[in-house]
Amino acid sequence: MANSSNNGLLFWRDLTPFSAPLHTPTSFSPNILIVGGGVTGLVTAWVLLDQGYRVTVLAKEWASFGTRQRLTSQIAGALWEFPPAVCGQHTDAISLQHSKRWCITAYHIWDAIAASKTLAEDSGVRMKGADFFFPVPIEEDPEQMSKMLEIMSSGIRGFRRDPAIIGERGIDTSYGAVDAYEHLAPIIDTDQSMKWLTGLVERKGAKLVTKTLHGDLFHQEAALRAEYHADVIINATGLAGTELAGDNSCYPIRGGLIRVINDGTDFAKLDHALTITADAVHDSSEIVFIVPRNDNILLIGGIAEPHEAELCLTLDSPIIKRMRARCEAFLPGLRKARLDREYPLAQGLRPFRQRNVRVERELRVHESTPAGATLPLLSRIIHSYGQGGAGWSLSFGCAGDVASLVKEALLDVPARAMGVEVLAAPKPEPFSVPVTELADSRIMARL
């Protein structure tokens, strides 16, 4: 089985898109049971299969492509974002630090996939311009300034900070955007990508089982391990973490996206993502999220409704009407947009938790009583849930950490809670750019 000295996965080195696993499993290879068939579960399966493990993925349902409700992973806008993401719900310092690392790992892997014309078409992944707009000059918002400098210094391609982007994209100047930057970002056709990921892990040898689990996994760990001959169990179930991980801090944030035809007939065809994030305007009710899904569909959003668990929105729902009006005011050409008749409104529940993303081993300990003595017995459950609306952006980064935790679990190393990472070497001084030069010369870095 493969050994890796760090969790920073690299495409081609640590995982490949080929049908055969990168490292062929042997009769001694551990068996891994992954619970959850969304993007987090499938990407985790891919990583582990290429490391030589035997993998079973268990899910209550799989990606579907008709008019009925689709998986949350399919509903997602799937625009790669540096955290905090558009909906602005990422507040835990520990999770945020890890998420920044996770998203950079995912960025480079999605970028490598998109670099191949064949892979890009098969996977539904494209690198396109992602434009972010701000109601004040970025220098006047310290959090946004810091975030922009982190993006510039993180190896993200095509960075350009220039207020002229506002006019270039046809944004209505009366809406209030005064500053902007853009960079290249993975934009993913989630229906196509989920179909591709499911087929890929099957070809690499994963067994897919359709089944619904109920109750805390911890209390049924021994039974599940026996039933599936599993050495380790991975919980990648999203909102089901409330029940399966005994985590009462999980909650849904309802989202909705209008789907319109983006073929250049009714308005100028959009090839860039256009966003105003919640953290930029400090208001989750003022999100603008306009993203090309594929060559013909444009997504218009968005909304973030915490603790709303009913999927009962329609095009006539007041919040959806306000969302559309907000986006049309921002980009007037959208007033002429035609709805996608087959699937005009996508809605789903983002799986959040109070302390945001959880990627860690089960901290509870079983009790064993051999010969009447009570002894602790470590759990071999690993959790990866709470990614919220950022499952695609964090996917490979989380999977890399899960793979490391699998190695620990197999050695029965005591579990540790997630914490702030301590760097082995002194942290370098923050990236610094003279504010006047950044603003006046409209620095462009096309990498």
Side-chain angles (χ1 to χ4, degrees):
M1 213 150 19
N3 291 313
S4 179
S5 60
N6 61 69
N7 309 341
L9 299 174
L10 292 177
F11 199 60
W12 301 118
R13 185 193 71 180
D14 300 308
L15 68 166
T16 78
F18 302 135
S19 296
L22 185 62
H23 297 274
T24 304
T26 71
S27 58
F28 301 104
S29 296
N31 291 288
I32 312 297
L33 173 64
I34 298 174
V35 185
V39 62
T40 299
L42 292 178
V43 166
T44 301
W46 179 5
V47 169
L48 294 176
L49 286 161
D50 270 350
Q51 290 193 1
Y53 295 98
R54 299 181 184 276
V55 175
T56 298
V57 184
L58 186 154
K60 67 178 182 179
E61 57 187 343
W62 307 93
S64 62
F65 307 98
T67 57
R68 69 183 181 91
Q69 179 62 35
R70 302 183 189 184
L71 295 184
T72 298
S73 293
Q74 294 176 264
I75 300 301
L79 165 67
W80 181 92
E81 300 172 71
F82 191 83
V86 164
C87 58
Q89 299 289 330
H90 211 135
T91 56
D92 181 78
I94 294 174
S95 178
L96 183 58
Q97 185 199 48
H98 286 280
S99 293
K100 290 178 179 180
R101 173 174 55 82
W102 291 331
C103 81
I104 294 300
T105 295
Y107 179 94
H108 291 297
I109 293 177
W110 291 125
D111 188 16
I113 292 171
S116 162
K117 185 175 185 294
T118 299
L119 277 181
E121 291 175 353
D122 290 347
S123 65
V125 182
R126 303 287 194 279
M127 295 297 290
K128 294 180 179 287
D131 300 343
F132 299 84
F133 301 90
F134 303 88
V136 298
I138 296 171
E139 291 82 4
E140 295 181 12
D141 187 328
E143 290 184 1
Q144 291 306 314
M145 185 67 177
S146 176
K147 180 177 178 178
M148 183 182 74
L149 293 177
E150 283 188 89
I151 290 171
M152 292 173 67
S153 60
S154 294
I156 304 307
R157 295 197 297 121
F159 180 84
R160 172 193 175 203
R161 187 273 179 94
D162 191 343
I165 296 169
I166 298 168
E168 292 171 6
R169 304 289 174 253
I171 309 304
D172 191 328
T173 55
S174 67
Y175 193 86
V178 301
D179 208 346
Y181 63 71
E182 67 177 9
H183 56 72
L184 290 175
I187 296 179
I188 302 168
D189 181 343
T190 54
D191 288 334
Q192 179 65 26
S193 199
M194 285 295 290
K195 180 180 179 181
W196 178 71
L197 285 170
T198 304
L200 179 63
V201 299
E202 275 196 293
R203 292 191 298 275
K204 284 181 179 287
K207 298 177 182 177
L208 305 188
V209 177
T210 304
K211 184 176 180 179
T212 302
L213 296 181
H214 294 289
D216 194 327
L217 291 177
F218 180 76
H219 299 311
Q220 51 189 315
E221 180 177 357
L224 285 170
R225 286 183 58 188
E227 180 178 357
Y228 294 98
H229 308 287
D231 297 288
V232 175
I233 298 173
I234 297 169
N235 170 31
T237 56
L239 278 175
T242 301
E243 180 179 7
L244 298 183
D247 187 345
N248 292 324
S249 75
C250 297
Y251 65 98
I253 295 184
R254 184 168 65 184
L257 296 166
I258 296 172
R259 294 165 56 100
V260 300
I261 305 302
N262 184 31
D263 61 4
T265 301
D266 306 295
F267 57 89
K269 185 179 178 71
L270 279 180
D271 200 41
H272 285 67
L274 313 175
T275 67
I276 295 181
T277 65
D279 62 319
V281 292
H282 307 289
D283 187 346
S284 62
S285 66
E286 292 299 323
I287 301 169
V288 170
F289 184 80
I290 302 169
V291 178
R293 167 63 92 207
N294 51 40
D295 289 339
N296 295 308
I297 298 297
L298 183 72
L299 303 179
I300 298 175
I303 58 172
E305 295 184 286
H307 305 288
E308 291 289 345
E310 297 296 322
L311 294 175
C312 56
L313 296 171
T314 71
L315 290 170
D316 292 322
S317 297
I319 193 168
I320 297 298
K321 290 175 129 180
R322 291 196 299 273
M323 177 185 79
R324 182 169 187 174
R326 184 167 64 247
C327 291
E328 289 175 350
F330 176 74
L331 189 66
L334 294 179
R335 296 189 179 108
K336 301 176 182 178
R338 286 173 294 136
L339 294 172
D340 173 14
R341 291 184 180 180
E342 293 183 4
Y343 197 46
L345 177 65
Q347 57 184 308
L349 304 176
R350 305 177 183 98
F352 275 80
R353 66 190 289 266
Q354 188 175 1
R355 286 184 292 175
N356 303 127
V357 189
R358 182 186 186 189
V359 177
E360 67 180 0
R361 290 172 56 198
E362 174 59 56
L363 300 175
R364 293 172 290 178
V365 178
H366 299 288
E367 289 187 352
S368 175
T369 55
T374 300
L375 298 174
L377 181 64
L378 296 176
S379 171
R380 285 190 174 182
I381 295 173
I382 298 168
H383 298 286
S384 182
Y385 65 90
Q387 282 86 354
W392 293 91
S393 294
L394 304 179
S395 53
F396 291 100
C398 290
D401 277 15
V402 168
S404 293
L405 294 174
V406 166
K407 292 182 176 69
E408 289 186 9
L410 289 169
L411 294 172
D412 290 319
V413 174
R416 298 162 295 161
M418 285 181 67
V420 174
E421 294 180 306
V422 179
L423 301 178
K427 187 175 181 179
E429 290 299 313
F431 182 90
S432 180
V433 174
V435 169
T436 53
E437 289 189 26
L438 189 62
D440 293 345
S441 63
R442 300 173 182 177
I443 289 176
M444 301 178 187
R446 297 196 179 277
L447 306 176

